[in-house]
Amino acid sequence: MTENAQQQPSAPDSELPTQYAPADVEGPLYERWVERGYFEADAKSEKPPYTIVIPPPNVTGSLHLGHAFQHTLMDALTRRKRMQGFESLWLPGMDHAGIATQNVVERELGKEGKSRHDLGREEFVERVWQWKEEYGGKILGQMRRLGDGVDWTRERFTMDEGLSQAVQTIFKRLYDDELIYRAERIINWCPRCLTAISDIEVEYQDDDGELVSMKYGEGDDTIVVATTRAETMLGDTAVAVHPDDERYKHLVGRHIKLPLTDRTIPVVADTHVDPEFGTGAVKVTPAHDPNDFAIGQRHGLESLTVMDERGVITVHGPFEGLDRFEARSAIVAALRADGRIVAEKRPYVHSVGHCSRCKTTVEPRLSMQWWVKVAPLAKAAGDAVRDGRVKIHPQEMEKRYFDWVDNLHDWCISRQLWWGHRIPVWYGPEGEVVCVGPDDEAPTGEGWTQDSDVLDTWFSSGLWPFSTLGWPEQTPDLKKFYPTDVLLTGHDIIFFWVARMMMFGLYAMDGEVPFRTIALTGLVRDQFGKKMSKSSGTAVDPLDWMNAYGSDAVRFTLARGANPGTDVPIGEDWVQASRNFANKIWNATRFALMNGATIEGELPPAEQLSATDRWILSRLNKTVSQVDALYDDFQFAKLSDALYHFAWDEVFDWYVELSKTTFMAGGEPAKVSGRVLGEVLDVTLKLLHPIVPFVTETLWTTLTGGESVVIAEWPKDSGFRDTAAEKEIETLQQVITEVRRFRADQGLQPGQRVPARLTLTGTALAPHEAAIRQLLRLQPEGDTFAATATLPVGGATVALDLSGTIDVAAERKRLAKDLAAAEKEKAQATAKLGNEAFLAKAPDNVVDKIRGRLSKADEDIARIKNQLDGLPEA
């Protein structure tokens, strides 16, 4: 990789096209970056490391706006650090996505009239690998389209050989340390996917159900319980009441008849029961409810499983063989016929869990599974944040993190799938259990079988920060690039992926944290702040926007909405506005190049610069300092906004416009301004590059003749400040803005020239007369000049000859009407703010709004009076 070619600049070797065409630029540019190895990190480098590992997208996935959002921010961070002289590694890869991938391939088999069982395990897994090679990883190509500056030479997959070794190694260590065990517990079960699923794979939504109150027992032993899942009553093994509930004390310890069965069940006292809720009595089904399972454990109750893995009833003749929902209706009907139904409420809206993959209603199910004992691991994960080794940004998200890790339950890690990391445990013919590490020989011989389950996808992705760098081997990459610097991810998975990486990283790496900072983002929403969804027609394919407006426009829009931890609303009109910004950068740079903008030679000393030149250089250095501070605080929205307004407003709308008269005049001042403009553009394009990489690369290389802005040096604040020049140009801006507003108020066209007399003597504005006249379209006063409007502004006086251009009487009448309206608004706002009773009751936002109205009214009154003073008498 060559050094930054800006050190030996050459003149631009080509002219820019008149229009920027992203589609013609972006693809070839990205391939050039990759071919030249700009994104490849060197473990042998003496540079300080900076590492981010990509949250691995599912192998089945495609780029959505959430990906594009987070990838834009990660790319910006790593591009900037690379320019700052760090050995910057952004490591890419994919997750094998157990359930999602298996579902995809099973659907493909279904089209052939086959199931995975027709193929058998080994052939099915081979089929999945074939699918992965042919169709998986679509998202990786889309990442290139977005401009992701990742090190493709280090791409990883959670099922590749190295990561498989890491998974087997940590499983064996945890097992030997008695942190992994096998036990029968209640888990989330999907009757369609036929596997346990994690909490994150359960989506809750409000469903219309029914709340049925039914009578258990006979005579004095009668007790009423309510449920939304009547079908589970076949598996009830108790009724529970609160120990202090006087209504039921006579029943505690007694057995009552369970309807529709030939069984009796005990009444138990348990503090879990809320005596204020419903009847204060609850049915207990330990095999089909997590809370009931806990009650059953405390009271030694039997756990009766009444459904199979597909949700079909397996007990009690009349209902056996019915689907769980069919059984629900049939059981309620039978109870009603038996006089057992006390009350029925339909519809009864309540929160119901659904499998995120297939949308099937999840069934709590008692099942033998593998678990991680999380208590010591979670404590370490909490301590690492509490003692400052890991920072969470924004800091207010720490509470959510602690609420989670301080209350973690043991983690079910086994899945009843064929695609994934198979659990490395073998069972022998005499009940032996052997856990096999990567260097161990698996037991062989008659009767030995391997556990059929695979590990939860989150188990392998929890190793991602160190397994991708070569662990358990002590590789040069692991030594150089671990711990990683920043984990940037959505706040929605702080509980699942983030916590697991913290637990595993601290455990596997002897207390060394997996990342130094957790930067949490919000979620991308539609322009109204609502969740995007295909069903509502609000889901957006970012590739469509990239094709229409360019990748830079999409990236800038996303970055400009990225306030830490806050959701990001986005609409197509905002992407259009970002496209306009890219065009503005292009056109302004093209103008600058045509007018002599250059980086050749040293900048002249301050005393040889005009006030306009000193102003823009002072503002430039302040912007560099501001952007650096905002980057370090992950304030992407604010830094994007600062760059937008500096580039568009100050550089393009003011400095370029103010310099036009200098360029037209030519000579040495034009050369000096050309050098200053070149400097400003050089730095501005570098500052913009991490967020809008394509347009800035094209413009920067053309301006400087440098090899690539990707490897250019990040700008530094030189410390140059000139408050006098800034104040002078602010005054100049005030004059131009006020006169422009006055012209617009008089109905003058922007290009319409008006005779004017400028009185600038004794002010700092005297050197700017040519610029003022040029920008305000003011002609010399001439022999017949008559001052019909006089504007005192910024210490100067601008007299305009508006004769023949406006009806002075009509204009005075219009302004008088506007003045009366503004004074009425002021009086109303003043009255409200002077009313103590109103102020005592009104919300703060209402009071603030009225204060704003008062301030606006004062501004309007001053402006209108100034306009009236500037008009001649009618």
Side-chain angles (χ1 to χ4, degrees), residues 613-662:
D613 293 336
R614 286 182 277 115
W615 162 72
I616 197 62
L617 290 174
S618 183
R619 290 293 306 128
L620 177 70
N621 279 285
K622 283 185 177 179
T623 301
V624 170
S625 180
Q626 180 186 16
V627 167
D628 274 335
L630 291 170
Y631 258 118
D632 292 341
D633 198 33
F634 303 98
Q635 297 281 357
F636 296 99
K638 290 181 179 179
L639 73 88
S640 299
D641 212 47
L643 286 170
Y644 175 90
H645 288 294
F646 175 72
W648 191 308
D649 300 346
E650 298 188 84
V651 179
F652 304 146
D653 277 359
W654 281 111
Y655 182 74
V656 169
E657 291 298 317
L658 289 170
S659 300
K660 281 183 178 178
T661 52
T662 304

Side-chain angles (χ1 to χ4, degrees), residues 197-246:
I197 58 177
S198 67
D199 291 339
I200 197 172
E201 292 163 325
V202 179
E203 293 179 346
Y204 288 89
Q205 65 185 47
D206 287 340
D207 286 357
D208 284 346
E210 59 183 1
L211 181 65
V212 179
S213 298
M214 46 198 182
K215 184 167 56 176
Y216 285 13
E218 303 288 351
D220 292 340
D221 289 350
T222 297
I223 194 166
V224 176
V225 298
T227 182
T228 58
R229 303 171 66 225
E231 69 279 8
T232 64
M233 61 87 59
L234 298 174
D236 286 358
T237 55
V239 170
V241 297
H242 194 277
D244 300 330
D245 195 330
E246 294 293 335

Side-chain angles (χ1 to χ4, degrees), residues 172-181 372-373 507:
K172 170 71 170 170
R173 290 188 186 179
L174 289 164
Y175 182 86
D176 289 346
D177 287 344
E178 298 183 346
L179 293 173
I180 281 182
Y181 63 95
V372 171
K373 188 184 295 182
Y507 174 80

Side-chain angles (χ1 to χ4, degrees), residues 266-557:
V267 177
V268 300
D270 196 280
T271 54
H272 169 76
V273 180
D274 181 1
E276 302 299 321
F277 183 77
T279 64
V282 297
K283 59 191 286 298
V284 181
T285 321
H288 293 277
D289 184 274
N291 293 320
D292 292 3
F293 179 79
I295 293 175
Q297 293 287 99
R298 288 194 289 272
H299 297 276
L301 300 176
E302 185 180 4
S303 295
L304 297 179
T305 299
V306 298
M307 282 179 235
D308 67 12
E309 72 248 14
R310 297 183 185 275
V312 174
I313 301 298
T314 58
V315 298
H316 199 68
F319 312 109
E320 189 173 355
L322 293 180
D323 171 81
R324 54 187 167 153
F325 300 117
E326 295 172 336
R328 180 176 301 173
S329 300
I331 288 170
V332 171
L335 288 167
R336 191 184 300 114
D338 199 26
R340 294 281 178 176
I341 298 297
V342 176
E344 297 178 71
K345 185 176 181 181
R346 295 187 185 87
Y348 179 72
V349 179
H350 61 132
S351 181
V352 177
H354 295 260
C355 174
S356 63
R357 304 297 178 192
C358 67
K359 311 309 176 188
T360 301
T361 299
V362 168
E363 190 66 39
R365 176 177 170 82
L366 184 61
S367 179
M368 182 67 75
Q369 302 286 345
W370 285 94
W371 304 80
V372 171
K373 188 184 295 182
V374 300
L377 304 175
K379 181 181 184 303
D383 290 345
V385 175
R386 286 189 170 94
D387 63 25
R389 283 175 289 153
V390 177
K391 305 287 186 186
I392 293 181
H393 189 88
Q395 191 174 0
E396 54 265 27
M397 287 285 183
E398 281 187 2
K399 183 180 184 303
R400 293 181 64 186
Y401 177 81
F402 292 135
D403 286 346
W404 181 256
V405 298
D406 293 346
N407 298 285
L408 268 179
H409 300 296
D410 284 1
W411 170 22
C412 175
I413 56 172
S414 45
R415 298 291 179 267
Q416 290 64 54
L417 304 171
W418 287 356
W419 172 245
H421 293 282
R422 196 165 175 181
I423 289 177
V425 171
W426 270 255
Y427 305 107
E430 303 299 326
E432 304 96 330
V433 179
V434 176
C435 181
V436 176
D439 299 324
D440 301 332
E441 288 290 333
T444 57
E446 187 175 348
W448 282 94
T449 58
Q450 185 178 359
D451 194 300
S452 60
D453 288 352
V454 300
L455 288 163
D456 178 11
T457 297
W458 295 99
F459 190 95
S460 51
S461 59
L463 315 181
W464 192 249
F466 52 93
S467 63
T468 52
L469 296 172
W471 186 93
E473 302 300 324
Q474 296 303 305
T475 63
D477 275 4
L478 192 64
K479 182 178 180 182
K480 176 75 174 180
F481 296 111
Y482 190 91
T484 66
D485 287 271
V486 177
L487 172 73
L488 190 145
T489 191
H491 63 66
D492 56 324
I493 59 172
I494 184 174
F495 315 124
F496 306 103
W497 189 47
V498 176
R500 280 148 173 67
M501 285 190 290
M502 286 284 283
M503 292 190 297
F504 280 166
L506 291 160
Y507 174 80
M509 299 300 293
D510 300 320
E512 199 166 18
V513 298
F515 23 74
R516 296 183 177 93
T517 300
I518 301 169
L520 297 170
T521 70
L523 309 179
V524 178
R525 305 289 189 181
D526 69 16
Q527 59 187 321
F528 304 110
K530 295 180 179 179
K531 183 178 180 180
M532 289 186 173
S533 70
K534 292 181 180 178
S535 60
S536 63
T538 56
V540 174
D541 184 343
L543 293 172
D544 291 341
W545 281 353
M546 284 189 266
N547 290 334
Y549 307 111
S551 297
D552 283 336
V554 174
R555 290 170 61 113
F556 192 73
T557 305

